[in-house]
Amino acid sequence: MSTDTIEKTATRSAKSGQPVIELVGMSKWYGNFQVLKDIDLTVYEGERIVVCGPSGSGKSTMIRCINQLEFHQEGDVIIHGKAYGKDEKQNDLIRRDIGMVFQSFNLFPHLSVLENCTMAQIWVKETPKAEAEAVAMHFLERVRIPEQAHKYPLQLSGGQQQRVAIARALCMNPKIMLFDEPTSALDPEMINEVLEAMIELAQSGMTMIVVTHEMNFARKVADRVIFMDQGEIVEQAPPHAFFDNPQYDRTQLFLSQIL
Ligand code: ADP
Ligand code: MG
């Protein structure tokens, strides 16, 4: 199959899938400052969304609302048909389907790579230790660092640490993966090894929202690119339309600054 055919098939299957994330009229304020303004967004099963936009436009806040690391004040956040609400147990169950990878890795420095990958499995999912370790090794192999399993995070390069963070998230068997500028803290020579792990994940059919300014990644992987500015989704389009024919002045200005 040519790359073109693969991409078309992926887009078609994404569109025919179920909605997995629905943001409906979502607004959020920090004090008097409205950081998110009436956000509407539906993400379908298997879709890969890239979110870009100027610093401070609300990208991190929007994706953190999806797993309720931040709380919205108006509208609904619906995951697999279930809205977050007042019932914290229910919210925890909804949240369990979502993995997240941060700019700053957020690994536990006092735990080995293997322990970083087994801890939540053992304590949250009550997986027996041997089984949790087998799952961890499986995902460390997938991100190509099984030989680092017994080291500590600070003994690894930034690129390796971020791949551990990806493996750790995958160990919880998420249905959705959120990435918040996963390569921004990395030295340039390490960016590709992390992007490659993310590309493989995308090819496996994972539903993904990726905040990034890596526009080659967006062109290669995204079904849709979303541009945010001042708390709003200004424009969204498939990558070729977004990059080659942006509709709005704000998008054109942003692209002229980063490309
Ligand atoms: P982005 O990820 O696009 O750079 P953020 O979502 O981090 O943007 O931030 C959006 C806006 O909200 C910025 O103006 C930022 O200063 C503000 N902000 C973010 N977090 C907080 C917070 N905890 N308290 C107050 N303001 C915040
Ligand atoms: Mg951010």
Side-chain angles (χ1 to χ4, degrees), residues 59-61 103 180-181 211:
K59 305 179 298 294
S60 295
T61 306
Q103 178 176 342
D180 194 358
E181 304 210 32
V211 178

Side-chain angles (χ1 to χ4, degrees), residues 30 33 35 54-61:
Y30 288 118
F33 172 66
V35 56
S55 178
S57 56
K59 305 179 298 294
S60 295
T61 306

Side-chain angles (χ1 to χ4, degrees), residues 223-244:
D223 297 300
R224 254 192 291 167
V225 182
I226 287 179
F227 173 69
M228 287 184 74
D229 194 18
Q230 298 181 14
E232 295 173 311
I233 294 179
V234 175
E235 180 157 0
Q236 47 180 316
H240 57 89
F242 181 83
F243 292 112
D244 302 338

Side-chain angles (χ1 to χ4, degrees), residues 3 8 20 27 32 40 66 97 103 127 133 142 144 149 160 217-218 223 226 229 233 235 259:
T3 327
K8 279 183 192 137
V20 292
S27 291
N32 290 328
D40 287 310
I66 293 171
D97 280 344
Q103 178 176 342
T127 308
E133 288 182 350
R142 253 184 73 178
R144 303 184 201 290
Q160 290 171 326
F217 173 83
D223 297 300
I226 287 179
D229 194 18
I233 294 179
E235 180 157 0
L259 293 180

Side-chain angles (χ1 to χ4, degrees), residues 186-244:
L186 298 176
D187 292 332
E189 70 272 20
M190 291 168 193
I191 290 176
N192 275 336
E193 65 193 48
V194 171
L195 291 180
E196 272 161 26
M198 292 168 60
I199 290 167
E200 280 181 29
L201 189 60
Q203 286 165 344
S204 78
M206 178 68 76
T207 306
M208 295 165 66
I209 301 187
V210 183
V211 178
T212 186
H213 292 160
E214 290 291 333
M215 293 302 145
N216 285 332
F217 173 83
R219 278 184 189 273
K220 207 180 228 169
V221 169
D223 297 300
R224 254 192 291 167
V225 182
I226 287 179
F227 173 69
M228 287 184 74
D229 194 18
Q230 298 181 14
E232 295 173 311
I233 294 179
V234 175
E235 180 157 0
Q236 47 180 316
H240 57 89
F242 181 83
F243 292 112
D244 302 338

